[in-house]
Amino acid sequence: MTYQELSARAKSQREARRFDEAIESYRLLFKEYKEECNQFDFWGLSRCLQKTGAHQECLEVSRNGLKKFRQSAYLRNTYSWSIYHLYIRKEPVTDRVQFFRAAEAIASFSDAEDEYSPYVLTVFQVIDLLEENYDKQVQEILKWIRKLRPEHLDTDPEQFKAADGKLITLPSELEKYYLILTKALY
């Protein structure tokens, strides 16, 4: 099978949401045609790994792809999401140094304006952690909240049903931004 045929097969499987099959096709593609692989092959494999929860391998594939395609927004996105799942989303935070290093990496690799990046989620996670020791961390909270641009935040409140059937409404990203900023400035 040629590079084009194998790449097209892997892409087709990914688009059909048959991620495990696509991963095998991408692995064969990288085994047979590593030098010909483009940024979308790296991204396709990392996206499939992300969808199957293989975040560590996704991180490695994205990192390798970024060595070859430094400016790829697609690979930066999967790289950032991998870091988010491996180091930011985990609770409780047991290694604060690693947590903040990961948050800084996401802030530098992600685009604050990209609604599909983990940038905004990461900033709010950092602030949640900093608020545990609020009085001593207020300057750090201000530093992180100022990384967000209000014009790019979601204005729709988050709604879900609780176990007892009640409708719960949480503030929108924009409301959270102003609540945090106002409290920290006060």
Side-chain angles (χ1 to χ4, degrees):
M1 193 173 287
T2 69
Y3 162 77
Q4 287 81 11
E5 292 169 334
L6 194 50
S7 181
R9 182 175 80 179
K11 178 182 177 187
S12 174
Q13 290 167 331
R14 177 181 51 78
E15 289 174 344
R17 304 184 65 76
R18 297 191 325 259
F19 300 118
D20 290 327
E21 292 174 33
I23 289 169
E24 292 308 312
S25 294
Y26 279 116
R27 285 186 176 144
L28 182 59
L29 179 70
F30 277 88
K31 181 180 176 187
E32 299 291 324
Y33 301 102
K34 186 173 184 173
E35 294 306 313
E36 288 95 335
C37 289
N38 62 32
Q39 70 171 317
F40 298 107
D41 295 323
F42 279 95
W43 175 78
L45 175 55
S46 60
R47 183 76 172 137
C48 291
L49 291 166
Q50 184 181 48
K51 288 292 191 178
T52 59
H55 300 295
Q56 185 63 50
E57 190 176 354
C58 177
L59 180 71
E60 293 165 18
V61 170
S62 298
R63 182 181 295 134
N64 288 334
L66 283 167
K67 288 177 185 174
K68 195 170 179 181
F69 306 101
R70 294 180 191 270
Q71 298 306 316
S72 172
Y74 297 101
L75 290 169
R76 291 168 85 83
N77 186 283
T78 54
Y79 183 77
S80 296
W81 274 110
S82 297
I83 293 171
Y84 178 82
H85 285 289
L86 291 169
Y87 304 109
I88 302 295
R89 188 174 183 202
K90 292 188 335 185
E91 288 188 26
V93 174
T94 55
D95 186 341
R96 290 175 70 94
V97 172
Q98 186 179 51
F99 176 87
F100 283 105
R101 189 177 313 132
E104 289 289 351
I106 290 171
S108 68
F109 269 94
S110 295
D111 183 356
E113 299 174 18
D114 181 1
E115 65 181 295
Y116 301 109
S117 83
Y119 190 95
V120 172
L121 285 172
T122 299
V123 170
F124 284 128
Q125 290 276 114
V126 167
I127 292 169
D128 285 347
L129 183 63
L130 292 170
E131 285 181 332
E132 291 175 3
N133 195 359
Y134 196 88
D135 292 337
K136 293 181 179 177
Q137 300 292 337
V138 73
Q139 291 306 315
E140 197 66 15
I141 290 169
L142 282 170
K143 174 187 140 191
W144 278 92
I145 197 66
R146 287 179 174 145
K147 289 179 183 279
L148 298 177
R149 300 192 49 211
E151 62 270 18
H152 297 292
L153 297 176
D154 190 2
T155 58
D156 295 327
E158 185 179 338
Q159 294 185 332
F160 61 92
K161 284 197 177 193
D164 62 2
K166 289 183 183 177
L167 184 64
I168 306 292
T169 303
L170 298 177
S172 69
E173 290 175 350
L174 185 63
E175 290 171 314
K176 287 193 313 191
Y177 169 84
Y178 282 115
L179 287 168
I180 293 165
L181 181 62
T182 303
K183 182 179 176 183
L185 288 171
Y186 178 74

